[in-house]
Amino acid sequence: MVEALERHTMVKASIAAWNAVMIRHHELAKEPVIEGWARAGHPLIVRRPGCSDTAGTIPLGLPLPPAHGKRRIAIALAASEIIEHKPPPLLAEAAAAAPSAWRATIDRLLELCPETRTFGSLAWQYLTGLPYLSQGSDLDLLWPVSALMQANTLPSRIAEIAQHAPMRLDGEIVAAAGGVQWRELAGDDGDEVLVKAPTVVHTMTKAAFLGGLLP
């Protein structure tokens, strides 16, 4: 039995479960890359639940690469239909799939926080081998807050790296309450930030979030 999974968790569906999804959604089964997704061993990503999701299921997403329309497909599976789940890949691992022009920036990001994970185009290209990255791709990251000192300095240090990066740095700083877009924490626009928790979105003060408090 799979317990509640955090947003951005990467999961794999059983082939039988995926075949059932394809039967329910004939329009998806017409695309070979989607129809063969589970057989190829490719993952899905946990998202926040939507209004149309059935209670008790796990909401999942499948972002297709640009060559396949860059569509974002939303499905939901029962916990019993998931055969594997793990966090999104570490940036240090996924860096092998990154453009050479990104290397210096990635090195700086890893010096700042070796535990940084990635969940966007770079992660999908690394995990599937499909061409997700393009010239205009962002680098989507998750920075875990491991200590109060790091929490207080992390947003400004990310901003310093972003200022000289050849790509846009996007993503969230993640603490006990959920994830906050790093630019909200680095900016001076008010004291409240929008926190994305597994099932809800709420606000709290920057100090409370970075201090590791729960809502």
Side-chain angles (χ1 to χ4, degrees), residues 39-180:
R39 289 197 305 276
H42 297 334
L44 306 164
I45 190 167
V46 176
R47 57 177 173 81
R48 281 198 310 276
C51 298
S52 60
D53 292 320
T54 304
T57 60
I58 297 174
L60 303 167
L62 193 176
L64 292 176
H68 295 274
K70 208 173 182 179
R71 294 162 55 199
R72 294 182 179 273
I73 296 165
I75 66 164
L77 295 177
S80 59
E81 296 176 312
I82 291 173
I83 59 173
E84 178 181 300
H85 61 92
K86 59 177 64 174
L90 289 165
L91 177 60
E93 297 170 350
S100 58
W102 290 16
R103 186 69 250 185
T105 298
I106 288 175
D107 287 345
R108 291 188 67 193
L109 289 164
L110 292 175
E111 288 175 12
L112 174 61
C113 180
E115 299 84 14
T116 301
R117 294 185 180 273
T118 182
F119 63 93
S121 297
L122 176 61
W124 288 100
Q125 184 150 319
Y126 168 70
L127 292 169
T128 68
L130 297 172
Y132 277 86
L133 289 166
S134 65
Q135 199 164 13
S137 291
D138 296 345
L139 179 54
D140 300 291
L141 301 170
L142 297 171
W143 293 273
V145 170
S146 56
L148 183 59
M149 183 178 296
Q150 184 192 48
N152 289 331
T153 61
L154 191 57
S156 60
R157 294 186 67 186
I158 294 170
E160 291 173 6
I161 297 173
Q163 195 171 15
H164 303 286
M167 80 299 265
R168 175 182 167 84
L169 297 186
D170 205 355
E172 301 172 6
I173 293 175
V174 182
V180 172

Side-chain angles (χ1 to χ4, degrees), residues 187-210:
D188 298 320
D189 300 333
D191 188 44
E192 285 202 333
V193 291
L194 192 67
V195 184
K196 297 177 181 178
T199 59
V200 297
V201 177
H202 57 92
T203 59
M204 61 192 305
T205 66
K206 291 179 182 179
F209 174 79
L210 292 174

